Amino acid sequence: MTDTESYPARIESAVERYRADRDAFDPPDDPPTPDRAMEYCREGLGPTVMIYVDARANDWGVRFSEREFDLLHEAMNGYLSLYTACYGVETDPDATVREAAELLLDTHNIRDVAAMLTGVPERGTGDD
């Protein structure tokens, strides 16, 4: 994607989807629910982080406003919270989208990114 005008719309869409997912979220009765956590990674966290990756890798001239960064961080950290809640862990992550993007480029796996940024699930628990 190289249409720089579309980034604000993509960011708005990502944060709207996150807010809808957050509002519809019911904690699992019997955590962990790794499949549900993976769905939040695939459908929410990954696309949110990819907005930043696309802008930095494909469109060098893109500059996000402070508001756009705030929205990206809201959606990304929100999805990380939903991800950990699927494991029965309450968190308040404060990762940066740049950090998540760098991890994604290193690992090529959004679930690994979520696990590294949150520490959930703990290594060696059998849920990772």
Side-chain angles (χ1 to χ4, degrees), residues 40-55:
Y40 286 121
C41 287
R42 249 191 329 269
E43 303 299 323
L45 181 62
T48 301
V49 174
M50 283 306 298
I51 295 169
Y52 182 87
V53 171
D54 287 345

Side-chain angles (χ1 to χ4, degrees), residues 34 37-42 45-46 49 76 80 83-84 87 95 99-124 127-128:
M38 188 61 206
E39 186 176 322
Y40 286 121
C41 287
R42 249 191 329 269
L45 181 62
V49 174
M76 187 193 74
L80 289 172
Y83 164 85
T84 61
Y87 285 91
E99 181 181 13
E102 289 172 351
L103 287 171
L104 182 59
L105 292 173
D106 286 346
T107 65
H108 303 280
N109 185 313
I110 195 64
R111 187 194 171 285
D112 287 348
V113 171
M116 286 187 268
L117 290 175
T118 64
V120 175
E122 287 184 38
R123 299 183 130 238
D127 291 326
D128 55 353

Side-chain angles (χ1 to χ4, degrees), residues 30-101:
D30 189 23
T33 54
D35 290 342
R36 188 171 171 201
M38 188 61 206
E39 186 176 322
Y40 286 121
C41 287
R42 249 191 329 269
E43 303 299 323
L45 181 62
T48 301
V49 174
M50 283 306 298
I51 295 169
Y52 182 87
V53 171
D54 287 345
R56 294 302 181 254
N58 300 325
D59 295 314
W60 287 92
V62 173
R63 297 277 185 248
F64 293 126
S65 69
E66 185 176 335
R67 179 181 181 276
E68 289 167 333
F69 267 120
D70 288 346
L71 292 173
L72 279 172
H73 286 119
E74 175 189 345
M76 187 193 74
N77 285 302
Y79 275 116
L80 289 172
S81 290
L82 294 175
Y83 164 85
T84 61
C86 291
Y87 285 91
V89 177
E90 191 173 318
T91 60
D92 187 19
D94 189 28
T96 67
V97 70
R98 179 180 177 167
E99 181 181 13

